[in-house]
Amino acid sequence: MRMSQSDVVYSCGSCGYPLNLSSSNRSTSDVGSSYQKSVKKELPDAALNQLRISGASLQSLSFYCCSDQGIAAIFRNCPNISTIIIAYCRGLSGVGFRGCPGTLSHLEAESCMLSPDGLLDVVSGGGLEYLNLYNLKSPTGLDGLDRVGYAKSLRFLNLRMCRYLTDDSVTAIASGCPLIEEWSLAVCHGVRLPGWSAIGLLCNKLRILHVNRCRNICDQGLQALGDGCVCLQVLHIHGCGKITNNGLASFSIARPNVKQRVDEVMCIGPSIEDLFRLQ
């Protein structure tokens, strides 16, 4: 468990194994087979002791992977935690977040396996403003992202490559999270016209929207976004096969002040490294 002010350093949240990763190098190709041999189900005694000693002053932590037991241990010992970064936690359901403190405002959980009930626990603290669930895995193969709609303070939401996402969950999030300013739905093929219509109707503070490579956004969906989303400033749109040139032209005429960009952005919102430096 390591952290510096200038760079986010990654180690295993289940066993503390150093992974030689950083915010500028997240390639896992060099982690090695020795990591697999070192994995344990809970945080090791040394890590827990460190949390007991200095946990009250810790505000930001990062792990390559973590268990529910490890997450629960963090919250027991770090009452002022505000930023957590985890990734590739296939054994993490999310129940370890149950009763998390309201100070937790930024969570990055890329490629994790969170259950629907676990997602509800993730937002249970009520303070989340930034949530990154990029490439979320589903243990059931079903959509459970409607639980994110309980995050009333949410401002930045990255659901890129959440392939199980449905219109019902998009509607629940758009309805339950009125403060959303930036939302990535890139490569979310399950979002169709009802979902896009809900965003246009309900997301009145949305400034930036990412829809790159969404297979099921069509001209009507784009029009629904243009008819609503009164604060929209930037639309990342590229590789959407059901949108015609006429549809794009009509959107441009209706919303000339919305900048259309073709670049695909992996990370949204404030820089995680900046968050670490500020704390």
Side-chain angles (χ1 to χ4, degrees):
M1 186 183 307
R2 302 168 57 196
M3 183 186 72
S4 72
Q5 294 297 319
S6 59
D7 199 13
V8 181
V9 180
Y10 294 79
S11 56
C12 177
S14 294
C15 65
Y17 184 85
L19 297 170
N20 298 318
L21 304 176
S22 70
S23 57
S24 56
N25 173 26
R26 297 189 185 186
S27 172
T28 60
S29 59
D30 296 328
V31 170
S33 59
S34 58
Y35 164 69
Q36 298 295 334
K37 298 177 182 178
S38 72
V39 172
K40 301 176 183 177
K41 292 184 178 180
E42 299 182 359
L43 284 170
D45 291 341
L48 285 172
N49 286 335
Q50 186 62 36
L51 284 179
R52 294 187 187 105
I53 294 171
S54 59
S57 63
L58 288 176
Q59 297 183 26
S60 305
L61 290 172
S62 66
F63 302 95
Y64 177 71
C65 67
C66 197
S67 65
D68 285 304
Q69 296 95 324
I71 291 292
I74 290 170
F75 293 133
R76 284 197 303 271
N77 293 280
C78 307
N80 298 311
I81 195 76
S82 64
T83 300
I84 292 179
I85 301 175
I86 54 178
Y88 298 95
C89 302
R90 302 300 173 87
L92 176 71
S93 72
V95 297
F97 285 88
R98 186 170 300 164
C100 62
T103 56
L104 182 65
S105 59
H106 296 76
L107 174 63
E108 190 172 292
E110 294 188 5
S111 301
C112 291
M113 184 78 75
L114 299 175
S115 69
D117 289 341
L119 283 169
L120 191 58
D121 291 327
V122 164
V123 302
S124 63
L128 274 182
E129 298 182 16
Y130 172 100
L131 180 59
N132 178 4
L133 296 176
Y134 163 68
N135 195 29
L136 178 71
K137 307 299 183 181
S138 172
T140 62
L142 300 174
D143 175 31
L145 281 161
D146 59 312
R147 275 71 166 181
V148 175
Y150 289 96
K152 305 296 184 182
S153 301
L154 200 61
R155 295 169 53 213
F156 304 95
L157 177 59
N158 189 350
L159 298 183
R160 184 177 185 274
M161 292 183 65
C162 289
R163 302 181 188 277
Y164 299 103
L165 181 66
T166 64
D167 290 325
D168 288 342
S169 286
V170 169
T171 301
I173 295 170
S175 175
C177 306
L179 303 180
I180 286 185
E181 300 176 26
E182 185 172 4
W183 192 350
S184 177
L185 290 166
V187 205
C188 290
H189 304 315
V191 185
R192 301 172 185 270
L193 181 57
W196 304 120
S197 298
I199 292 172
L201 180 65
L202 299 169
C203 294
N204 296 319
K205 294 192 175 183
L206 188 66
R207 297 184 298 106
I208 305 172
L209 179 63
H210 307 252
V211 301
N212 306 74
R213 295 192 285 141
C214 287
R215 293 176 184 168
N216 290 304
I217 183 171
C218 57
D219 290 350
Q220 292 89 341
L222 186 59
Q223 181 180 347
L225 294 174
D227 290 343
C229 296
V230 294
C231 291
L232 192 64
Q233 299 174 6
V234 179
L235 179 65
H236 292 260
I237 182 167
H238 176 70
C240 303
K242 292 187 177 181
I243 293 182
T244 66
N245 290 333
N246 288 337
L248 282 173
S250 297
F251 180 87
S252 298
I253 293 171
R255 300 293 299 271
N257 294 325
V258 176
K259 184 177 181 180
Q260 297 177 37
R261 297 178 55 171
V262 299
D263 56 322
E264 189 165 347
V265 178
M266 305 297 178
C267 301
I268 71 169
S271 163
I272 287 293
E273 283 77 11
D274 287 345
L275 291 174
F276 272 66
R277 292 189 189 102
L278 288 173
Q279 293 167 3

